Each structure stands twice: as structure tokens, then as C-alpha cells.
Amino acid sequence: MPVGYGKKIRQAVTEAKKKSAKKYKCPSCSRTAMKRVANGVWQCRKCSSKFASGAFEFSG
Ligand SMILES: [Zn+2]
């Protein structure tokens, strides 16, 4: 395995985790309460609406 390969992967994973930890605006109630509950599944903590979106990033 080339030197530095593992490091690059770790950075990508860190970035993805940062994005998944970010709060996103709910398309249903417009409150910033979207939480990633599973891979590609996001749920609003205010109105409990569930949305399918990116695995680590909500866009909707
Ligand atoms: Zn909501």
C-alpha cells in the first residue's frame, strides 16, 4: 500500500463525519432539526418527518 493512502481515507471519513454532525433544515417545518438516523435517512427532531437523502449530508 503506498505511503499516505490510509491518511487520505481518514481525512475523507473525518470530513463525512463533520457533515453528518451538522444540523440541517427540515423541508417540512423549516426548523434546523434534521438528524441523521441511518445511512441516507434523516429525521426531524421537531416534527418527526423522515427523509431519504445523502449518507452523510442532507440536501432536500
Ligand atoms: Zn420538521
Side-chain angles (χ1 to χ4, degrees):
M1 188 188 283
V3 176
Y5 179 76
K7 193 183 171 190
K8 215 171 185 179
I9 294 293
R10 264 201 303 277
Q11 279 174 344
V13 169
T14 304
E15 278 303 302
K17 279 187 177 171
K18 255 191 245 170
K19 280 182 177 176
S20 70
K22 252 177 78 181
K23 296 241 171 61
Y24 292 95
K25 195 174 165 186
C26 173
S28 180
C29 68
S30 296
R31 281 177 288 197
T32 309
M34 295 303 292
K35 196 174 184 285
R36 185 177 160 272
V37 290
N39 240 18
V41 182
W42 298 72
Q43 184 169 31
C44 175
R45 288 182 301 159
K46 299 290 181 189
C47 69
S48 297
S49 293
K50 268 189 185 175
F51 300 93
S53 190
F56 294 107
E57 196 171 7
F58 183 72
S59 57

